[in-house]
Amino acid sequence: MVSVSLLLSFTGPAGAQVPAPASPASPLDNYAEAASTTIIAEQACPGVQVRAGQLTTLRLAARVNAGQEVVLEEKLRSRAVQVRQQLAAVGREAWCAGALAAFGPQGTVVKGILATGAPIR
């Protein structure tokens, strides 16, 4: 799996971008980044919904086991803080466009976790 941090960049009026990590991201890091970004997108972006089944598939691909739950929780909390800071810095419109570009139907990071306008099951 390609690191979400390396692919995901949100550019807007401020020209903000997600910094590339110093070392390759782990599957847990990738999942935490995707989950945090998409869940916050559902909350912040009008008409955007998370396709829970797609997010679950991503979690299964990350092979999260019971012993990793505490580490994953911390990664999710930490990444959510970073995502909210990006959202505030770039602005909702630009940030939402970036999130949809990365995780929407034509996603450059993971396709189909976010959907717009269609009923989600």
Side-chain angles (χ1 to χ4, degrees), residues 22-72:
S23 61
S26 72
L28 283 181
D29 290 322
N30 289 336
Y31 174 74
E33 188 158 350
S36 297
T37 301
T38 57
I39 290 167
I40 291 171
E42 184 176 55
Q43 296 166 355
C45 306
V48 172
Q49 293 180 307
V50 172
R51 294 182 65 208
Q54 294 291 87
L55 195 54
T56 299
T57 299
L58 191 61
R59 181 185 170 104
L60 291 172
R63 298 177 191 247
V64 178
N65 64 50
Q68 296 171 308
E69 288 297 331
V70 172
V71 172
L72 179 58

Short mmCIF file of all heavy atoms in Angstrom, two decimals, residues 22-72:
data_model
loop_
_atom_site.label_atom_id
_atom_site.label_comp_id
_atom_site.label_asym_id
_atom_site.label_seq_id
_atom_site.Cartn_x
_atom_site.Cartn_y
_atom_site.Cartn_z
N ALA A 22 8.97 11.09 7.35
CA ALA A 22 10.41 10.87 7.28
C ALA A 22 10.73 9.43 6.89
O ALA A 22 11.74 9.15 6.27
CB ALA A 22 11.05 11.21 8.61
N SER A 23 9.88 8.51 7.27
CA SER A 23 10.08 7.11 6.94
C SER A 23 8.78 6.56 6.36
O SER A 23 7.73 7.14 6.54
CB SER A 23 10.48 6.33 8.18
OG SER A 23 9.46 6.40 9.14
N PRO A 24 8.87 5.42 5.67
CA PRO A 24 7.65 4.85 5.10
C PRO A 24 6.60 4.59 6.19
O PRO A 24 6.92 4.16 7.29
CB PRO A 24 8.11 3.52 4.49
CG PRO A 24 9.58 3.69 4.29
CD PRO A 24 10.05 4.62 5.38
N ALA A 25 5.36 4.88 5.86
CA ALA A 25 4.26 4.70 6.81
C ALA A 25 3.90 3.22 6.93
O ALA A 25 3.98 2.47 5.97
CB ALA A 25 3.06 5.50 6.38
N SER A 26 3.50 2.85 8.12
CA SER A 26 3.06 1.48 8.35
C SER A 26 1.61 1.33 7.89
O SER A 26 0.91 2.33 7.69
CB SER A 26 3.15 1.17 9.85
OG SER A 26 2.12 1.86 10.55
N PRO A 27 1.14 0.10 7.73
CA PRO A 27 -0.27 -0.10 7.40
C PRO A 27 -1.21 0.55 8.42
O PRO A 27 -2.25 1.08 8.06
CB PRO A 27 -0.44 -1.62 7.38
CG PRO A 27 0.92 -2.12 7.02
CD PRO A 27 1.88 -1.17 7.71
N LEU A 28 -0.82 0.56 9.71
CA LEU A 28 -1.64 1.22 10.73
C LEU A 28 -1.68 2.73 10.50
O LEU A 28 -2.72 3.36 10.65
CB LEU A 28 -1.10 0.94 12.14
CG LEU A 28 -1.38 -0.41 12.75
CD1 LEU A 28 -0.79 -0.49 14.15
CD2 LEU A 28 -2.85 -0.73 12.78
N ASP A 29 -0.53 3.31 10.15
CA ASP A 29 -0.48 4.74 9.86
C ASP A 29 -1.37 5.07 8.66
O ASP A 29 -2.11 6.05 8.67
CB ASP A 29 0.95 5.20 9.56
CG ASP A 29 1.84 5.18 10.78
OD1 ASP A 29 1.36 5.52 11.89
OD2 ASP A 29 3.03 4.82 10.63
N ASN A 30 -1.28 4.26 7.61
CA ASN A 30 -2.09 4.49 6.42
C ASN A 30 -3.58 4.40 6.74
O ASN A 30 -4.37 5.24 6.31
CB ASN A 30 -1.75 3.47 5.32
CG ASN A 30 -0.39 3.73 4.71
OD1 ASN A 30 0.12 4.84 4.73
ND2 ASN A 30 0.19 2.68 4.16
N TYR A 31 -3.95 3.39 7.52
CA TYR A 31 -5.36 3.25 7.88
C TYR A 31 -5.81 4.42 8.75
O TYR A 31 -6.89 4.99 8.53
CB TYR A 31 -5.63 1.93 8.61
CG TYR A 31 -7.04 1.87 9.12
CD1 TYR A 31 -8.09 1.66 8.23
CD2 TYR A 31 -7.34 2.12 10.46
CE1 TYR A 31 -9.41 1.67 8.67
CE2 TYR A 31 -8.65 2.12 10.90
CZ TYR A 31 -9.67 1.90 10.01
OH TYR A 31 -10.97 1.93 10.44
N ALA A 32 -4.99 4.82 9.72
CA ALA A 32 -5.36 5.94 10.60
C ALA A 32 -5.54 7.22 9.80
O ALA A 32 -6.47 7.99 10.06
CB ALA A 32 -4.29 6.13 11.69
N GLU A 33 -4.68 7.44 8.83
CA GLU A 33 -4.81 8.64 8.01
C GLU A 33 -6.08 8.61 7.17
O GLU A 33 -6.82 9.59 7.11
CB GLU A 33 -3.58 8.80 7.12
CG GLU A 33 -3.58 10.12 6.41
CD GLU A 33 -2.20 10.54 5.97
OE1 GLU A 33 -1.21 9.92 6.36
OE2 GLU A 33 -2.13 11.52 5.23
N ALA A 34 -6.34 7.48 6.53
CA ALA A 34 -7.54 7.37 5.70
C ALA A 34 -8.81 7.48 6.55
O ALA A 34 -9.75 8.19 6.19
CB ALA A 34 -7.53 6.05 4.93
N ALA A 35 -8.83 6.78 7.68
CA ALA A 35 -10.02 6.81 8.54
C ALA A 35 -10.28 8.21 9.09
O ALA A 35 -11.41 8.71 9.04
CB ALA A 35 -9.87 5.81 9.68
N SER A 36 -9.25 8.85 9.60
CA SER A 36 -9.42 10.19 10.16
C SER A 36 -9.89 11.18 9.10
O SER A 36 -10.81 11.95 9.33
CB SER A 36 -8.10 10.68 10.76
OG SER A 36 -7.71 9.86 11.82
N THR A 37 -9.24 11.14 7.95
CA THR A 37 -9.59 12.08 6.89
C THR A 37 -11.03 11.87 6.42
O THR A 37 -11.79 12.83 6.30
CB THR A 37 -8.62 11.94 5.70
OG1 THR A 37 -7.29 12.21 6.16
CG2 THR A 37 -8.97 12.91 4.58
N THR A 38 -11.42 10.64 6.19
CA THR A 38 -12.75 10.39 5.65
C THR A 38 -13.85 10.64 6.67
O THR A 38 -14.91 11.18 6.33
CB THR A 38 -12.87 8.97 5.05
OG1 THR A 38 -12.54 8.00 6.05
CG2 THR A 38 -11.95 8.80 3.86
N ILE A 39 -13.61 10.30 7.91
CA ILE A 39 -14.62 10.55 8.95
C ILE A 39 -14.81 12.05 9.17
O ILE A 39 -15.94 12.53 9.28
CB ILE A 39 -14.26 9.80 10.24
CG1 ILE A 39 -14.43 8.29 10.02
CG2 ILE A 39 -15.11 10.28 11.41
CD1 ILE A 39 -13.82 7.42 11.09
N ILE A 40 -13.72 12.80 9.17
CA ILE A 40 -13.84 14.25 9.33
C ILE A 40 -14.47 14.86 8.08
O ILE A 40 -15.26 15.80 8.17
CB ILE A 40 -12.48 14.87 9.68
CG1 ILE A 40 -12.10 14.43 11.10
CG2 ILE A 40 -12.52 16.39 9.57
CD1 ILE A 40 -10.69 14.77 11.54
N ALA A 41 -14.19 14.30 6.92
CA ALA A 41 -14.82 14.79 5.69
C ALA A 41 -16.33 14.61 5.76
O ALA A 41 -17.09 15.50 5.35
CB ALA A 41 -14.25 14.06 4.47
N GLU A 42 -16.78 13.49 6.29
CA GLU A 42 -18.22 13.27 6.41
C GLU A 42 -18.85 14.32 7.33
O GLU A 42 -19.95 14.80 7.08
CB GLU A 42 -18.50 11.87 6.95
CG GLU A 42 -19.98 11.54 7.01
CD GLU A 42 -20.25 10.13 7.44
OE1 GLU A 42 -19.75 9.72 8.52
OE2 GLU A 42 -20.95 9.42 6.70
N GLN A 43 -18.14 14.72 8.37
CA GLN A 43 -18.64 15.71 9.32
C GLN A 43 -18.58 17.13 8.76
O GLN A 43 -19.45 17.94 9.02
CB GLN A 43 -17.84 15.65 10.62
CG GLN A 43 -17.97 14.35 11.35
CD GLN A 43 -16.92 14.18 12.45
OE1 GLN A 43 -16.03 15.00 12.61
NE2 GLN A 43 -17.03 13.09 13.20
N ALA A 44 -17.54 17.44 8.00
CA ALA A 44 -17.27 18.82 7.59
C ALA A 44 -17.75 19.18 6.18
O ALA A 44 -17.98 20.36 5.91
CB ALA A 44 -15.77 19.09 7.67
N CYS A 45 -17.90 18.21 5.33
CA CYS A 45 -18.18 18.49 3.92
C CYS A 45 -19.65 18.18 3.60
O CYS A 45 -20.08 17.03 3.74
CB CYS A 45 -17.27 17.66 3.03
SG CYS A 45 -15.51 17.85 3.40
N PRO A 46 -20.40 19.19 3.17
CA PRO A 46 -21.82 18.98 2.86
C PRO A 46 -22.01 17.90 1.79
O PRO A 46 -21.33 17.89 0.77
CB PRO A 46 -22.27 20.34 2.32
CG PRO A 46 -21.25 21.32 2.82
CD PRO A 46 -19.96 20.57 2.93
N GLY A 47 -22.94 16.98 2.07
CA GLY A 47 -23.30 15.95 1.11
C GLY A 47 -22.32 14.81 0.98
O GLY A 47 -22.49 13.93 0.14
N VAL A 48 -21.29 14.76 1.80
CA VAL A 48 -20.28 13.70 1.72
C VAL A 48 -20.57 12.66 2.79
O VAL A 48 -20.86 13.00 3.93
CB VAL A 48 -18.86 14.29 1.91
CG1 VAL A 48 -17.82 13.19 2.04
CG2 VAL A 48 -18.53 15.22 0.76
N GLN A 49 -20.49 11.40 2.37
CA GLN A 49 -20.71 10.30 3.32
C GLN A 49 -19.61 9.27 3.18
O GLN A 49 -19.10 9.03 2.09
CB GLN A 49 -22.06 9.63 3.05
CG GLN A 49 -23.24 10.52 3.35
CD GLN A 49 -24.54 9.80 3.08
OE1 GLN A 49 -24.74 9.27 2.00
NE2 GLN A 49 -25.40 9.78 4.07
N VAL A 50 -19.26 8.65 4.31
CA VAL A 50 -18.29 7.56 4.32
C VAL A 50 -19.01 6.28 3.95
O VAL A 50 -20.08 5.98 4.48
CB VAL A 50 -17.65 7.41 5.72
CG1 VAL A 50 -16.77 6.17 5.78
CG2 VAL A 50 -16.84 8.64 6.07
N ARG A 51 -18.41 5.55 3.05
CA ARG A 51 -18.91 4.21 2.74
C ARG A 51 -18.22 3.27 3.71
O ARG A 51 -17.07 2.88 3.51
CB ARG A 51 -18.61 3.87 1.29
CG ARG A 51 -19.39 4.78 0.33
CD ARG A 51 -19.15 4.46 -1.11
NE ARG A 51 -19.69 3.12 -1.37
CZ ARG A 51 -19.22 2.32 -2.31
NH1 ARG A 51 -18.22 2.69 -3.07
NH2 ARG A 51 -19.76 1.14 -2.49
N ALA A 52 -18.93 2.93 4.77
CA ALA A 52 -18.35 2.18 5.88
C ALA A 52 -17.75 0.85 5.43
O ALA A 52 -16.71 0.43 5.95
CB ALA A 52 -19.39 1.96 6.97
N GLY A 53 -18.37 0.20 4.50
CA GLY A 53 -17.85 -1.08 4.01
C GLY A 53 -16.47 -0.93 3.38
O GLY A 53 -15.60 -1.78 3.57
N GLN A 54 -16.27 0.16 2.66
CA GLN A 54 -14.97 0.41 2.04
C GLN A 54 -13.91 0.69 3.11
O GLN A 54 -12.77 0.25 2.99
CB GLN A 54 -15.04 1.59 1.07
CG GLN A 54 -15.92 1.35 -0.13
CD GLN A 54 -15.32 0.32 -1.06
OE1 GLN A 54 -15.52 -0.88 -0.89
NE2 GLN A 54 -14.57 0.78 -2.02
N LEU A 55 -14.29 1.43 4.13
CA LEU A 55 -13.36 1.73 5.21
C LEU A 55 -13.02 0.46 5.99
O LEU A 55 -11.87 0.24 6.36
CB LEU A 55 -13.96 2.80 6.14
CG LEU A 55 -13.00 3.47 7.11
CD1 LEU A 55 -11.79 4.08 6.40
CD2 LEU A 55 -13.74 4.54 7.90
N THR A 56 -14.00 -0.40 6.18
CA THR A 56 -13.76 -1.68 6.84
C THR A 56 -12.81 -2.55 6.03
O THR A 56 -11.90 -3.18 6.58
CB THR A 56 -15.09 -2.43 7.08
OG1 THR A 56 -15.91 -1.62 7.93
CG2 THR A 56 -14.87 -3.78 7.73
N THR A 57 -12.98 -2.56 4.72
CA THR A 57 -12.09 -3.31 3.85
C THR A 57 -10.66 -2.81 3.98
O THR A 57 -9.71 -3.60 4.03
CB THR A 57 -12.56 -3.22 2.38
OG1 THR A 57 -13.87 -3.79 2.29
CG2 THR A 57 -11.63 -3.94 1.44
N LEU A 58 -10.50 -1.50 4.07
CA LEU A 58 -9.17 -0.92 4.24
C LEU A 58 -8.57 -1.34 5.58
O LEU A 58 -7.39 -1.67 5.67
CB LEU A 58 -9.26 0.61 4.13
CG LEU A 58 -7.94 1.35 4.05
CD1 LEU A 58 -7.16 0.94 2.82
CD2 LEU A 58 -8.20 2.85 4.03
N ARG A 59 -9.40 -1.37 6.61
CA ARG A 59 -8.91 -1.80 7.93
C ARG A 59 -8.48 -3.26 7.88
O ARG A 59 -7.44 -3.63 8.43
CB ARG A 59 -10.00 -1.60 8.98
CG ARG A 59 -9.55 -2.01 10.38
CD ARG A 59 -10.69 -1.92 11.38
NE ARG A 59 -10.32 -2.53 12.62
CZ ARG A 59 -10.00 -1.86 13.71
NH1 ARG A 59 -10.00 -0.55 13.72
NH2 ARG A 59 -9.68 -2.49 14.82
N LEU A 60 -9.25 -4.09 7.22
CA LEU A 60 -8.88 -5.50 7.10
C LEU A 60 -7.57 -5.65 6.33
O LEU A 60 -6.73 -6.49 6.68
CB LEU A 60 -9.99 -6.30 6.41
CG LEU A 60 -11.27 -6.46 7.23
CD1 LEU A 60 -12.37 -7.09 6.38
CD2 LEU A 60 -11.02 -7.28 8.48
N ALA A 61 -7.37 -4.85 5.31
CA ALA A 61 -6.13 -4.88 4.53
C ALA A 61 -4.94 -4.46 5.39
O ALA A 61 -3.82 -4.92 5.16
CB ALA A 61 -6.24 -3.99 3.31
N ALA A 62 -5.17 -3.60 6.37
CA ALA A 62 -4.10 -3.16 7.27
C ALA A 62 -3.76 -4.24 8.30
O ALA A 62 -2.77 -4.13 9.01
CB ALA A 62 -4.50 -1.88 7.99
N ARG A 63 -4.59 -5.26 8.37
CA ARG A 63 -4.38 -6.40 9.27
C ARG A 63 -4.22 -5.97 10.73
O ARG A 63 -3.28 -6.36 11.41
CB ARG A 63 -3.21 -7.24 8.82
CG ARG A 63 -3.41 -7.83 7.46
CD ARG A 63 -2.20 -8.60 7.01
NE ARG A 63 -2.33 -8.93 5.61
CZ ARG A 63 -2.48 -10.17 5.15
NH1 ARG A 63 -2.51 -11.17 5.98
NH2 ARG A 63 -2.59 -10.38 3.87
N VAL A 64 -5.16 -5.15 11.17
CA VAL A 64 -5.16 -4.69 12.56
C VAL A 64 -5.56 -5.86 13.45
O VAL A 64 -6.61 -6.46 13.26
CB VAL A 64 -6.14 -3.51 12.75
CG1 VAL A 64 -6.16 -3.07 14.20
CG2 VAL A 64 -5.78 -2.36 11.82
N ASN A 65 -4.70 -6.18 14.42
CA ASN A 65 -5.05 -7.25 15.35
C ASN A 65 -5.34 -6.66 16.72
O ASN A 65 -5.09 -5.49 16.98
CB ASN A 65 -3.95 -8.32 15.40
CG ASN A 65 -2.64 -7.79 15.94
OD1 ASN A 65 -2.60 -7.15 16.99
ND2 ASN A 65 -1.54 -8.05 15.23
N ALA A 66 -5.87 -7.49 17.59
CA ALA A 66 -6.31 -7.02 18.91
C ALA A 66 -5.18 -6.36 19.69
O ALA A 66 -5.40 -5.38 20.41
CB ALA A 66 -6.89 -8.19 19.71
N GLY A 67 -3.97 -6.83 19.54
CA GLY A 67 -2.84 -6.26 20.26
C GLY A 67 -2.44 -4.88 19.77
O GLY A 67 -1.68 -4.17 20.44
N GLN A 68 -2.94 -4.48 18.61
CA GLN A 68 -2.59 -3.18 18.04
C GLN A 68 -3.66 -2.11 18.30
O GLN A 68 -3.46 -0.95 17.93
CB GLN A 68 -2.40 -3.31 16.53
CG GLN A 68 -1.23 -4.19 16.15
CD GLN A 68 -1.21 -4.45 14.66
OE1 GLN A 68 -2.21 -4.88 14.08
NE2 GLN A 68 -0.08 -4.20 14.05
N GLU A 69 -4.75 -2.46 18.92
CA GLU A 69 -5.87 -1.53 19.11
C GLU A 69 -5.47 -0.26 19.85
O GLU A 69 -5.86 0.83 19.48
CB GLU A 69 -7.04 -2.21 19.81
CG GLU A 69 -7.79 -3.21 18.96
CD GLU A 69 -8.46 -2.61 17.73
OE1 GLU A 69 -8.85 -1.42 17.75
OE2 GLU A 69 -8.60 -3.34 16.74
N VAL A 70 -4.70 -0.38 20.92
CA VAL A 70 -4.31 0.79 21.70
C VAL A 70 -3.43 1.71 20.85
O VAL A 70 -3.62 2.93 20.84
CB VAL A 70 -3.57 0.38 23.00
CG1 VAL A 70 -2.99 1.58 23.72
CG2 VAL A 70 -4.52 -0.38 23.92
N VAL A 71 -2.49 1.13 20.11
CA VAL A 71 -1.61 1.91 19.24
C VAL A 71 -2.45 2.59 18.15
O VAL A 71 -2.25 3.77 17.84
CB VAL A 71 -0.52 1.02 18.61
CG1 VAL A 71 0.28 1.76 17.55
CG2 VAL A 71 0.40 0.47 19.69
N LEU A 72 -3.38 1.86 17.58
CA LEU A 72 -4.23 2.42 16.53
C LEU A 72 -5.07 3.58 17.06
O LEU A 72 -5.20 4.61 16.39
CB LEU A 72 -5.13 1.35 15.92
CG LEU A 72 -6.09 1.84 14.83
CD1 LEU A 72 -5.32 2.49 13.68
CD2 LEU A 72 -6.96 0.70 14.34
#
